[in-house]
Amino acid sequence: MLVSRKWSGKTLADHRADRKAFVTEALAAVGIDKPAQDTSRLIWRKVAPGDQNAPPRAHLLMHAIAERITWRAEYDRAMLGASGAPPGQADVSATPVAA
């Protein structure tokens, strides 16, 4: 198997940055401005078992799912604005339209 960095010269971080730039440009084209988040003041640490300040795992999962649904809706709206056709609604029929 040939890994991507061997034929493209890009690392996973490079591919991630390319995807992020593409989505940001697509959203900006239809007027959705997503400012870059300042993560310099965030501190990441593992949550200790029994930590009373940590939200329940179910809440974290539901928040992540809701955030992903929001991102997908914004992206679909950007693609709709760019193409004029609803996403996934292209003419992909295997049979011709009857007269």
Side-chain angles (χ1 to χ4, degrees):
M1 173 168 49
L2 187 61
V3 293
S4 173
R5 68 180 170 273
K6 298 238 182 186
W7 56 269
S8 70
K10 293 183 179 182
T11 63
L12 288 176
D14 294 335
H15 286 294
R16 187 178 302 120
D18 288 347
R19 284 193 316 270
K20 184 177 181 178
F22 173 79
V23 171
T24 302
E25 289 172 11
L27 294 176
V30 294
I32 301 173
D33 184 31
K34 301 295 280 186
Q37 292 180 339
D38 179 23
T39 59
S40 62
R41 38 180 220 135
L42 297 178
I43 298 172
W44 293 90
R45 62 179 173 84
K46 291 185 178 182
V47 177
D51 185 356
Q52 297 298 319
N53 295 321
R57 180 177 295 269
H59 290 197
L60 295 173
L61 289 171
M62 292 306 291
H63 176 73
I65 291 169
E67 187 176 49
R68 174 72 176 152
I69 289 170
T70 301
W71 291 346
R72 184 61 193 209
E74 289 175 345
Y75 181 73
D76 287 344
R77 193 167 68 213
M79 292 297 103
L80 176 61
S83 70
Q89 298 297 320
D91 184 17
V92 293
S93 176
T95 58
V97 177

